[in-house]
Amino acid sequence: MTRMNREATVRRLLEQSPPPVPPGLHAEAARRGARLLRRRTLARRAMWLVLLAVTVVFVVWALTVRPWVEPPSETTPPLTVW
């Protein structure tokens, strides 16, 4: 198809009257959109809750294990009297 043919086809399609919209389509679309928004909001809140729980668990673990402290040496015996 050449460019002129494509343009002519598009112009014919645009000049035609739009197809009839089924009754109730708007209500169905609005219902689905509202449901989608509720699901997204719920998913976002769940992700924030999981992130908060992971952060709390990490902070508690870090405070109890204290990985930044060097562990005591267990390979050498304690120094006794000479």
Side-chain angles (χ1 to χ4, degrees):
M1 238 183 180
T2 64
R3 180 178 175 158
M4 296 298 286
N5 288 342
R6 280 186 278 172
E7 286 182 9
T9 305
V10 169
R11 287 182 195 277
R12 268 196 317 269
L13 289 173
L14 290 175
E15 289 173 357
Q16 295 175 356
S17 64
V21 177
L25 181 65
H26 176 265
E28 180 69 21
R31 186 182 63 79
R32 285 185 179 185
R35 185 176 64 193
L36 182 65
L37 285 176
R38 282 193 308 270
R39 284 183 180 178
R40 284 184 182 174
T41 302
L42 182 64
R44 190 177 305 120
R45 287 180 183 170
M47 285 190 297
W48 278 110
L49 184 64
V50 167
L51 180 65
L52 177 68
V54 167
T55 303
V56 168
V57 167
F58 175 75
V59 167
V60 169
W61 171 81
L63 290 175
T64 56
V65 174
R66 297 172 31 168
W68 58 87
V69 176
E70 185 177 333
S73 176
E74 298 175 0
T75 57
T76 58
L79 184 62
T80 60
V81 180
W82 291 42

